[in-house]
Amino acid sequence: MPKGAMPVLVGVGQVTDHWDGTAGPDGAPSPKSLCVDASKIALADAGIEASEIDTLAVVRIFEDSVPGDRHPHGHNTNLPGTIARDIGAAPERAIYAAVGGQSPQQLANEMAARIHAGEIECVLVTGSEANKASKAARKHGVAIDWADGDGLAVEDRGMGEMLLSRPEIKHGIIAPAYFYALFENAMAARDGQTRSERRAEMSDLFAKFAAVAAQHPHSQFDTASFDQTFLATPSKANYPFADPFLKWHIAQDAVNQSGAFIMMSEDKADALGIAADKRVYLHGSGEAGDDFISERPVLDGSWAMQTAIERALAQAGTEAGAIAAFDLYSCFPCAVFSSMAVLGIDHKTETRPLTLTGGLPFFGGPGNNYSMHGIVSMTEWLRQRPGETGLVLANGGWMTKEAVGVWSTTRPETFQPVEPIAKPTKKVALEAAPEQGTVETYTVTYGKDGPMSGIIFGRTETGDRFIAVAAPDAMPRLLEEDSPVGLPVKVTSEDERNTFTFI
């Protein structure tokens, strides 16, 4: 395989299955079956046979992303191998990616670079989630069987780096919504917003995403009635989860969805007779990885997003104003606000698409694989608008791992491989047992019976950060309309856990 080859994306496919267990086990999807279906669509879209694939890369599913997860429907011990077997492929190499929502775009960046280096010639990248099927089967007592295996040799990249620090875990910051709520309330405090004002702005942004999802043929949810008022108002259908988030401000993982794309060298595409109007090129890529959230100097934005986006735009030789469409990762509103800030976008006046799917709360959030649907939908959008340029932002962790791709049907003069992942150089010192300080950001988490716990990041007089949970007498102030950010607190410490009260 020649070095210096031009990589090109030539085939895409995506599927969404609405099986909900009410009619019994017939037709129940699995992560494997969904990947097989999407992969076959991508192969048909490219007009090639599975025998052409020399490399298969699979995004890691939820059940293999948590140490010790129990696989309630049986364990597929070799997901890449069983996918290859069922589509009739015999790849020379197979990869099972590490954890993270950046994976689809990161794999596109990596595979394009490997095609350019002459290491591979034709790659299928796919991923899926069948969490909706799993939850439905357990709810209705329906037996479904996902157990499978294969002898194909696989490069299993494992869980990846740890995303939670010991102090964060000790203080109960263990769910994605809790981390993102700390970002969201830092942004609200910066902008002088009350809880209701922040919810109104988040909901104004996300009502536009819900409207896009309502028109997308592969959306998991019916969001046609999800206007700004519904999204901003607590209700039985839109209950509080972690202030300021209500249910529909959060990525929804109860989905049966899969996507796939095929990349190859331009020479191979020529040899296979793949039409020019099928071809989409990667013009620029960028990747960055951040520290634990409690160590980041800035909480009202994302250094990793800024770095990855700027790298991708610079490599593509373009700027944000020249991008015709975006698929911005939207697990929570603050992720979109952070990327828009980097791109210089005001959602109130912006007319370009910010999402082509409708985003993770409304189109669906299939675990690590959402941005596969972003890439597929971007490919379809660009094919209909030759010469335009689009940007896909994929996000993992809590704005921890970022991967960006700038795509166009226009052939670039040259291809530049993605640079090594950028890492931050500045950290905030964490004070283990402070005596007092001020609130930097906060959230209140909720259970079925209402408010459950309050968590703050604070700053000491010397500028160090600390984490603390609310004493019972501090909770009422956290629940008030006005933000507590900036208020003084006193702190007591026991067993690596800090508790605060307001002074």
Side-chain angles (χ1 to χ4, degrees):
M1 291 177 280
K3 292 183 178 181
M6 176 66 71
V8 60
L9 189 155
V10 296
V12 293
Q14 60 183 325
V15 296
T16 296
D17 191 303
H18 293 280
W19 184 89
D20 62 4
T22 56
D26 289 349
S30 69
K32 181 196 71 175
S33 72
L34 290 167
C35 282
V36 168
D37 290 346
S39 297
K40 288 180 177 178
I41 293 170
L43 288 163
D45 182 51
I48 66 171
E49 300 295 327
S51 58
E52 300 292 348
I53 297 165
D54 60 55
T55 302
L56 172 65
V58 178
V59 175
R60 200 172 202 88
I61 63 170
F62 262 137
E63 291 190 342
D64 293 333
S65 296
V66 179
D69 206 0
R70 54 193 180 86
H71 298 94
H73 312 296
H75 189 192
N76 186 328
T77 58
N78 189 335
L79 184 58
T82 57
I83 294 167
R85 179 198 67 208
D86 286 7
I87 65 172
E92 298 170 17
R93 61 194 65 77
I95 297 164
Y96 198 26
V99 176
Q102 82 290 344
S103 295
Q105 183 61 56
Q106 190 172 55
L107 286 169
N109 297 345
E110 176 191 345
M111 297 306 150
R114 295 179 72 172
I115 290 168
H116 181 69
E119 298 174 9
I120 65 178
E121 195 169 27
C122 180
V123 58
L124 168 67
V125 183
T126 187
S128 68
E129 288 294 347
N131 288 337
K132 178 179 175 69
S134 176
K135 291 178 180 181
R138 284 175 282 170
K139 177 181 178 180
H140 296 290
V142 175
I144 57 177
D145 184 10
W146 293 357
D148 206 344
D150 190 79
L152 182 69
V154 174
E155 178 192 338
D156 189 332
R157 295 181 175 177
M159 300 293 177
E161 65 271 29
M162 184 67 174
L163 299 179
L164 302 168
S165 72
R166 182 180 177 89
E168 292 164 1
I169 296 170
K170 281 286 185 178
H171 290 87
I173 314 176
I174 54 174
Y178 302 171
F179 285 94
Y180 279 98
L182 295 169
F183 289 125
E184 201 77 56
N185 279 321
M187 294 177 186
R190 176 198 65 200
D191 296 339
Q193 294 172 324
T194 65
R195 176 186 281 104
S196 295
E197 288 169 341
R198 189 64 186 179
R199 281 183 178 162
E201 183 167 3
M202 294 189 303
S203 301
D204 183 52
L205 171 69
F206 266 15
K208 299 168 187 174
F209 280 56
V212 173
Q215 300 300 316
H216 198 293
H218 293 287
S219 289
Q220 189 76 67
F221 307 105
D222 180 2
T223 60
S225 63
F226 285 20
D227 60 10
Q228 196 271 354
T229 300
F230 169 78
L231 292 173
T233 306
S235 66
K236 185 177 180 180
N238 195 31
Y239 48 81
F241 192 90
D243 276 337
F245 301 136
L246 305 177
K247 174 187 175 180
W248 288 102
H249 296 131
I250 297 173
Q252 303 296 315
D253 63 11
V255 302
N256 301 325
Q257 293 180 312
S258 178
F261 64 82
I262 296 167
M263 299 181 78
M264 62 178 60
S265 68
E266 196 174 51
D267 288 345
K268 188 171 183 69
D270 290 342
L272 292 172
I274 295 176
D277 61 6
K278 290 287 187 181
R279 304 184 187 195
V280 176
Y281 295 88
L282 184 62
H283 282 235
S285 53
E287 297 176 13
D290 216 334
D291 292 317
F292 296 129
I293 180 177
S294 57
E295 297 177 345
R296 299 180 200 176
V298 174
L299 296 178
D300 60 0
S302 171
W303 171 88
M305 279 187 180
Q306 178 175 351
T307 303
I309 290 170
E310 289 179 348
R311 282 186 166 196
L313 290 172
Q315 193 178 79
T318 191
E319 56 187 20
I323 302 296
F326 303 87
D327 196 78
L328 302 178
Y329 204 89
S330 54
C331 48
F332 298 86
C334 55
V336 185
F337 286 121
S338 294
S339 58
M340 288 193 302
V342 176
L343 293 162
I345 290 172
D346 180 351
H347 73 94
K348 296 181 179 66
T349 57
E350 183 59 64
T351 58
R352 294 171 294 176
L354 301 180
T355 176
L356 296 179
T357 65
L360 289 87
F362 311 115
F363 170 84
N368 300 318
N369 200 53
Y370 163 75
S371 286
M372 186 78 72
H373 297 273
I375 293 170
V376 172
S377 295
M378 180 63 75
T379 298
E380 294 169 342
W381 193 90
L382 291 169
R383 283 173 172 175
Q384 294 171 7
R385 298 162 183 83
E388 297 285 15
T389 302
L391 183 147
V392 174
L393 167 65
N395 165 79
W398 357 106
M399 293 193 278
T400 309
K401 299 183 282 189
E402 307 299 323
V404 178
V406 176
W407 299 88
S408 178
T409 59
T410 302
R411 185 187 190 279
E413 292 185 9
T414 59
F415 173 80
Q416 298 179 63
V418 65
E419 298 179 65
I421 296 173
K423 296 290 186 179
T425 58
K426 296 180 180 180
K427 293 184 180 182
V428 173
L430 198 64
E431 172 60 51
E435 295 181 356
Q436 62 182 33
T438 57
V439 178
E440 181 181 17
T441 189
Y442 75 103
T443 189
V444 174
T445 69
Y446 289 77
K448 291 182 178 180
D449 298 323
M452 189 167 59
S453 67
I455 306 167
I456 67 167
F457 279 1
R459 290 284 189 144
T460 66
E461 190 175 51
T462 60
D464 292 346
R465 180 176 286 139
F466 62 89
I467 313 173
V469 297
D473 64 359
M475 283 294 286
R477 178 61 187 88
L478 290 182
L479 293 167
E480 291 181 12
E481 178 72 2
D482 291 335
S483 172
V485 170
L487 294 181
V489 296
K490 60 180 178 181
V491 185
T492 58
S493 304
E494 184 177 359
D495 295 331
E496 300 182 67
R497 185 175 169 93
N498 301 320
T499 302
F500 77 93
T501 58
F502 289 101
I503 297 174

